[in-house]
Amino acid sequence: GTIPMAAARQKILIVDDERRLADSLCDLLRQAGYEAVAAYTGREALDRLEAHPFPLVITDLRMDGMDGLALIAEIARRHPSTQMIVMTGYASTESAIAAVRCRVFDYLCKPFDFQTMRLAVEKAFQAIEAERLRQDTAAMLSHDMKIPLTSILGFAAMIYDRETGRIHERAAEFAETI
């Protein structure tokens, strides 16, 4: 199949202390058209996130050193716009609740087939794009409203002089402009 153009720019950080699994997931995601990078510890993942933004992080929960729950909590705190997908061979209610609290986008139980992961990744990037569009639209609307509001406030302030209590001789013209 063809690689969608948008996927070529979509960066994913894979975090798993099982190097073989992290590397093979990176390879599969690269073949699907994504830019995938592996980190083998939570600390390495945080360092990579500080150096370069990744819109999506896929992490294992059980890892030596900093575990996945600590990692997702740190990512949620430091990089609130980063989406996360958690994968675990040890699903539990506690870890699922912790994942929800950290706004994890998806929670996959190992073993999973690659198609399941690819679908989760596609949906995560759709959510990322939807949020980007929402922010762009809000910024555009805010900008488009500030300009006329500034003009309205300026003309309104000129109609009446608070210090003298007098109405400006051009008040009707200012009101018309408003």
Side-chain angles (χ1 to χ4, degrees), residues 91-171:
S92 70
T93 306
E94 293 78 16
S95 66
I97 290 168
V100 167
R101 285 193 179 129
C102 292
R103 336 165 272 89
V104 165
F105 184 78
D106 211 337
Y107 183 99
L108 303 178
C109 298
K110 291 179 184 177
F112 51 81
D113 60 22
F114 181 67
Q115 190 59 25
T116 302
M117 175 62 77
R118 201 170 63 78
L119 202 58
V121 167
E122 283 176 19
K123 286 181 181 173
F125 276 112
Q126 286 170 357
I128 290 164
E129 183 62 17
E131 177 58 21
R132 190 188 64 74
L133 284 171
R134 189 194 67 73
Q135 287 177 354
D136 288 354
T137 303
M140 183 186 67
L141 288 173
S142 173
H143 176 266
D144 289 355
M145 289 188 72
K146 275 182 190 161
I147 293 168
L149 280 175
T150 302
S151 180
I152 290 168
L153 290 170
F155 279 107
M158 293 191 315
I159 290 175
Y160 172 76
D161 187 332
R162 285 185 180 170
E163 287 184 21
T164 63
R166 301 212 335 266
I167 292 180
H168 196 283
E169 72 247 16
R170 292 174 55 200

